[in-house]
Amino acid sequence: GLGNRDHSGDAAKLLEVCEYAANMLEAGELVPMAYPPTAKIAAYRRMKNPDVTEITDYLFELIETLKKSCHVLK
């Protein structure tokens, strides 16, 4: 069942997607670079057991920033 699923790789996969979005934001100079998103992602990667829910929330934050910056309509 769902309760037996191994979630150990979830954080790493989410961070890959976060980094992709962060790279677009940084390359387009769409975010402040005082504490760039890639630095926050690197900090998550250094954690022994990063919080998957927190990373998911951060991914949605990055996506929302991209959507606003690129004027993407829903």
Side-chain angles (χ1 to χ4, degrees):
L2 292 173
N4 298 330
R5 186 164 168 256
D6 179 11
H7 294 281
S8 59
D10 291 359
K13 289 175 188 169
L14 282 167
L15 289 169
E16 281 297 313
V17 180
C18 284
E19 188 156 19
Y20 185 79
N23 287 336
M24 287 190 286
L25 287 166
E26 291 175 11
E29 299 179 356
L30 303 171
V31 288
M33 295 303 288
Y35 183 49
T38 51
K40 186 169 183 171
I41 293 162
Y44 279 125
R45 284 199 166 120
R46 288 190 298 271
M47 292 179 185
K48 185 173 179 149
N49 294 305
D51 184 330
V52 172
T53 302
E54 186 178 325
I55 295 169
T56 301
D57 290 344
Y58 186 54
L59 174 57
F60 280 105
E61 186 181 315
L62 291 171
I63 290 169
E64 279 305 307
T65 303
L66 263 175
K67 285 165 80 172
K68 287 177 189 170
S69 299
C70 299
H71 305 287
V72 175
L73 303 175
K74 291 183 180 183

